[in-house]
Amino acid sequence: ARIDALFVSEPETALQLRVAPEVPEFMLIVLLYRAPDQGIACTLAAANVTASVLSMAWLTQAAAWLPCPHRLRLHLMVDSGLSREGVDPSEVAAAVRLLLDGWPRWSFDGLYTHWCCPYDLGEMRRSKATFDEAVEVVARMRRSVEVGRGGDVPFT
């Protein structure tokens, strides 16, 4: 068995894991379901912890913060039907553009979602289709950025 990433819900847990001798430095640690405030964002960046983007409002607010000395890694949550948190699918392109505009102070690590209804096959298909569309939007944007920047891209 292999572990590729650790997903945590508290910034303190992420920071404790980052210094734990059992967790290799290269191990991805992602803070899920909690967007950091300005006070902890630079600490997470220095510890190489990836933070969640739960809304356009947070992203817009964070864009106004002073840059951290280290790049803040961000993981975009897409609302695929649960309607509690995450960027609305219609805002994914705008959110990615804002993330890209934040380079090099931010890097874009990826997308995730919280499936709405795993026991309702029809709703699950709709939720997956919504998320697949968001992934395709990001893939198209990534391809265009890679061409324009010659490989120096804000995607990790």
Side-chain angles (χ1 to χ4, degrees):
R2 186 179 100 186
I3 299 173
D4 294 319
L6 300 173
F7 295 88
V8 299
S9 60
E10 299 294 330
E12 297 78 14
T13 304
L15 296 171
Q16 289 171 354
L17 285 169
R18 180 50 71 210
V19 298
E22 303 84 10
V23 178
E25 285 183 38
F26 63 84
M27 177 71 63
L28 180 65
I29 299 176
V30 181
L31 178 64
L32 290 180
Y33 305 122
R34 176 155 318 184
D37 62 23
Q38 187 173 6
I40 191 80
C42 290
T43 303
L44 294 172
N48 200 28
V49 172
T50 301
S52 291
V53 174
L54 302 178
S55 69
M56 277 296 290
W58 180 88
L59 196 53
T60 302
Q61 179 184 24
W65 298 345
L66 293 174
C68 297
H70 298 87
R71 184 174 299 135
L72 180 60
R73 298 171 64 164
L74 296 173
H75 213 85
L76 183 66
M77 182 179 194
V78 176
D79 179 3
S80 62
L82 196 56
S83 300
R84 286 196 303 208
E85 53 196 10
V87 172
D88 187 271
S90 67
E91 298 177 318
V92 167
V96 172
R97 175 60 43 216
L98 197 49
L99 282 165
L100 297 177
D101 290 346
W103 173 262
R105 62 189 263 190
W106 294 337
S107 66
F108 182 29
D109 276 8
L111 299 169
Y112 74 102
T113 193
H114 187 142
W115 300 119
C116 76
C117 349
Y119 301 108
D120 181 331
L121 194 54
E123 283 299 312
M124 191 60 202
R125 283 187 186 114
R126 188 195 58 73
S127 185
K128 183 179 181 313
T130 298
F131 187 68
D132 287 347
E133 288 174 23
V135 169
E136 183 53 37
V137 165
V138 172
R140 279 193 308 269
M141 293 178 82
R142 181 179 181 146
R143 285 189 295 273
S144 69
V145 168
E146 286 174 342
V147 168
R149 296 187 186 196
D152 182 27
V153 295
F155 294 93
T156 52

